[in-house]
Amino acid sequence: MPAGSAGPAGPAETAGPAEVPEPAALPEAAALPASAAPGLPDPGLPAAAARRVGLLVTLVLGGLTALPPLSMDMYLPALPAVTESLSAPAATIQLTLTACLMGMALGQLVVGPMSDKWGRRRPLLIGMAVYVVATLICAFAPTAELLIGFRLLQGLAGAAGIVIARAVVRDLYDGVEMARFFSTLMLISGVAPVIAPVIGGQVLRLTDWRGIFVVLAAVGLLLTVVVVKWLPETLPPERRQGGGVGAALRTMRGLLADRAFTGYMLTGGFAFATLFAYIAASPFVVQEIHGASPQTFSLLFGVNSIGLVIVGQINGKLLVGRVSLDKVLGLGLTVIALAALALLLMTLGVFGDVGLFGIAAGLFVLMAAMGLGLPNTNALALTRAAHAAGSASALLGTSSFLIGAVASPLVGVAGEDTAVPMAVVQLVCALAAIGCFLGLCRPWRRVAGSRAL
């Protein structure tokens, strides 16, 4: 753990790769009493029963973390169709992505502290209910302006699932086990971007882009029912924080005063912006510039997401516990920057006309390397925030979505006929992530004899 960490010590670094962690097997400092969370494994349960309950909670959290990529990626193949349907320029329609991201960013700032004060379930259920209603409204938006507004509301409500899922993981796990669990969630939530564009493309075969929002509303309703039935409260009353807005702001100010926490937060934010520059630009790069169909775009997007999932599992099963999280994170950031540089050179024509295959290969490497970056920035930051997991999760999510929202419109500043802006934004964000990691986190500074995460 980095020097000055506020979080409790995690499990021994020498622990080998493990299957999906079980709350019953957690360290005492991170585990909850069975009475505080009736849906979690009781220490007295047989191992097989504890594993089943722990897996069920894992699947519920995975579903919550899958909702944002579903909300974003199912909609991607329809962007050109929305542009035509609403008679709006591409830059305006891309603002529907930005609005959703802005909503998810701002919503987390509200929901995170609420969950520290009132527990995890109540804010989550309210947010999920509003998400379903807002998504149905999006399906009937008659103008681009109204669609942008309702996407903002959809993001505000959907933020509850993102921030509370991370907070629940921090309630249950610490240190290396937390990093493993985030990699496990990446396996589950990583299925969403694999299948979301495919589903979106198939929905477009049967109906128009509005049908995509109807499907998203049904997914949100299903997740709400699942949370009601199977996700227990993981923050008992004695661990909740009192106070109002002032107390929440003081907690966040204290977290931001921790240089390393802020460093990991910004590192993850800029890495996410690199990813979102790809998400925002890829429909136009693949379909408009290279002439691919929505189904081909969906296939390429799915292949890239599979790469992210595979590398995420290599991170969780093989690297975490054997190599320090800082070293793995540094490797991931380096690969992301090199892939972004290669994409910029290709889009500038330095290597001649590389076609769709060359661009797709560069994007695959960039996406796959995210599997080394995103889980470890979350784990390293949240390790320092055991006392306020909801607020810390809110800051992590808000910074990522705000930086991503700023990066999104920049990829289209030169129009729909060039991919150079996408590559420039990706490279700048990747270099900024490395700068924050080295300048603020200072991973080489370790107290003699301390255990490195």
Side-chain angles (χ1 to χ4, degrees), residues 273-274 277 407-408 410-411 420-430:
T274 303
S408 170
L410 299 179
V411 301
V420 172
M422 176 193 73
V424 170
V425 171
Q426 288 176 326
L427 182 57
V428 169
C429 290

Side-chain angles (χ1 to χ4, degrees), residues 94-104 148-149 151-153 155:
Q94 282 180 326
L95 287 177
T96 62
L97 296 176
T98 302
C100 189
L101 270 184
M102 289 289 289
M104 289 180 180
I148 292 170
R151 285 282 278 175
L152 177 65
L153 179 60

Side-chain angles (χ1 to χ4, degrees), residues 274-288:
T274 303
L275 173 63
F276 196 74
Y278 157 71
I279 292 174
S282 58
F284 297 97
V285 172
V286 174
Q287 296 181 73
E288 300 296 326

Side-chain angles (χ1 to χ4, degrees), residues 190-233:
V191 174
V194 172
I195 65 173
V198 177
I199 295 174
Q202 297 308 311
V203 170
L204 290 176
R205 287 178 176 270
L206 303 175
T207 182
D208 61 7
W209 60 271
R210 299 179 188 275
I212 292 176
F213 287 107
V214 174
V215 174
L216 283 172
V219 172
L221 181 61
L222 176 62
L223 273 175
T224 304
V225 173
V226 167
V227 167
V228 169
K229 293 190 65 175
W230 287 303
L231 184 65
E233 179 58 66

Side-chain angles (χ1 to χ4, degrees), residues 5-9 29-30 116 120 167 170-171 173-174 178 235 239 241 255 381-390 392:
S5 169
D116 282 338
R120 311 305 185 198
R170 187 61 188 92
D171 290 340
Y173 299 94
D174 187 39
M178 182 165 49
L235 188 67
R239 293 176 54 194
Q241 295 190 357
L255 290 168
L382 286 172
T383 294
R384 308 180 70 89
H387 59 293

Side-chain angles (χ1 to χ4, degrees), residues 331-404:
L331 173 62
L333 294 175
T334 301
V335 175
I336 291 170
L338 290 175
L341 176 61
L343 282 167
L344 178 59
L345 295 177
M346 284 188 284
T347 56
L348 288 172
V350 173
F351 305 125
D353 185 7
V354 297
L356 179 58
F357 178 81
I359 299 296
L363 291 173
F364 176 83
V365 174
L366 185 145
M367 279 279 284
M370 293 292 171
L372 299 178
L374 299 183
N376 294 328
T377 53
N378 283 333
L380 286 162
L382 286 172
T383 294
R384 308 180 70 89
H387 59 293
S391 296
S393 178
L395 289 172
L396 289 173
T398 297
S399 62
S400 294
F401 282 100
L402 283 179
I403 296 173

Side-chain angles (χ1 to χ4, degrees), residues 197-198 278 286 292-306 356-357 360-361 363-364 367:
V198 177
Y278 157 71
V286 174
S293 68
Q295 288 70 38
T296 299
F297 163 75
S298 300
L299 176 62
L300 290 175
F301 198 93
V303 169
N304 290 343
S305 299
I306 289 173
L356 179 58
F357 178 81
L363 291 173
F364 176 83
M367 279 279 284

